[in-house]
Amino acid sequence: MIETIVFDVGETITRDDRYWASWADWLKVPRHTLSALVGAVVAQGQDNAEALRLARPGIDVAAEYHARELAGRGEQLDESDLYDDVRPTLSALRERGVRVIIAGNQTPRAGGLLRDLDLPAELIVTSGEWGVAKPQSEFFARVIEVAQAAPGRTLYVGDHPANDVFPAKAAGLRAAHLRRGPWGRLWADVPEVVQAADWSIDSLAQLAGIIER
């Protein structure tokens, strides 16, 4: 029985469209160019920040992030950034007595923006706030701590095999691989991913059926 479900953020809870478009505008490159570079690094199994380094060789990503904030062009999130299945699914899970947590690789600012959306979750936290990021085992140790359930009764849901599925399973958690976004779709049928994931889903709405089994 699943008692707690923990959700990744990017391309699980939120769309990354605005995130990459804002970076393209800041770097003064066409949006489709940066999107193509993101696709290229995804296909190579690299971190998505490599797309920024390809767009502007030698970039200091942290420094540019700070410059964007100072210029009033930093991260933004609102209701339009959420996938349509997020609110109804989270609400339905809580009504069934499931503890709902959102925990992903985001900045402290993103954590605040997510909490401002008043999502139906007991806890919303980011790697920037924890000081440790996926796929590090310490991140998933924190997940287990806040889940308030045994690892085998805790389900981690995410789109990225290397950041979500594999390390979640290594930590003893159950894992659902979401076919969403470039990572979720590109790697969905890779045998290692199929074997590792307890479930493969196309929508968060399918989670209700999983917890009822």
Side-chain angles (χ1 to χ4, degrees):
M1 179 181 176
I2 300 298
E3 298 177 3
T4 300
I5 299 183
V6 186
F7 293 85
D8 170 46
V9 179
E11 291 303 330
T12 297
I13 296 294
T14 62
R15 305 174 186 273
D16 281 347
D17 307 50
R18 186 206 296 258
Y19 177 83
W20 291 113
S22 64
W23 267 113
D25 295 346
W26 178 258
L27 296 177
K28 295 183 172 56
V29 299
R31 292 182 177 184
H32 79 275
T33 297
L34 188 56
S35 292
L37 292 174
V38 171
V41 300
V42 169
Q44 295 171 22
Q46 299 181 46
D47 184 83
N48 54 21
E50 290 304 314
L52 301 176
R53 298 185 179 99
L54 289 171
R56 180 183 288 178
I59 186 175
D60 182 330
V61 176
E64 289 296 325
Y65 178 90
H66 184 61
R68 286 182 55 190
E69 291 291 332
L70 292 177
R73 295 174 61 183
E75 288 182 276
Q76 297 296 325
L77 278 175
D78 60 33
E79 194 71 21
S80 67
D81 295 299
L82 298 176
Y83 276 100
D84 293 341
D85 57 2
V86 172
R87 281 196 184 276
T89 296
L90 270 56
S91 295
L93 291 172
R94 291 191 69 182
E95 288 172 3
R96 289 169 168 80
V98 176
R99 180 172 171 80
V100 173
I101 296 172
I102 297 171
N105 275 0
Q106 269 72 35
T107 63
R109 175 173 172 77
L113 293 170
L114 284 166
R115 289 187 287 272
D116 287 344
L117 294 177
D118 195 26
L119 290 166
E122 278 81 5
L123 175 68
I124 298 174
V125 67
T126 67
S127 59
E129 293 166 326
W130 271 347
V132 62
K134 297 181 294 184
Q136 292 175 277
S137 60
E138 291 84 358
F139 179 94
F140 289 92
R142 296 297 299 273
V143 166
I144 292 170
E145 178 183 333
V146 300
Q148 298 181 11
R153 292 178 179 266
T154 302
L155 174 63
Y156 194 86
V157 181
D159 63 297
H160 198 305
N163 281 354
D164 301 325
V165 177
F166 297 150
K169 291 297 294 181
L173 301 165
R174 311 296 291 279
H177 182 238
L178 178 61
R179 294 172 176 260
R180 179 177 282 176
W183 293 268
R185 295 179 187 277
L186 182 62
W187 302 104
D189 297 319
V190 173
E192 291 82 359
V193 178
V194 173
Q195 182 176 6
D198 294 286
W199 296 278
S200 178
I201 59 176
D202 299 302
S203 167
L204 297 183
Q206 292 174 255
L207 294 171
I210 289 174
I211 65 169
E212 291 171 356
R213 294 176 184 174

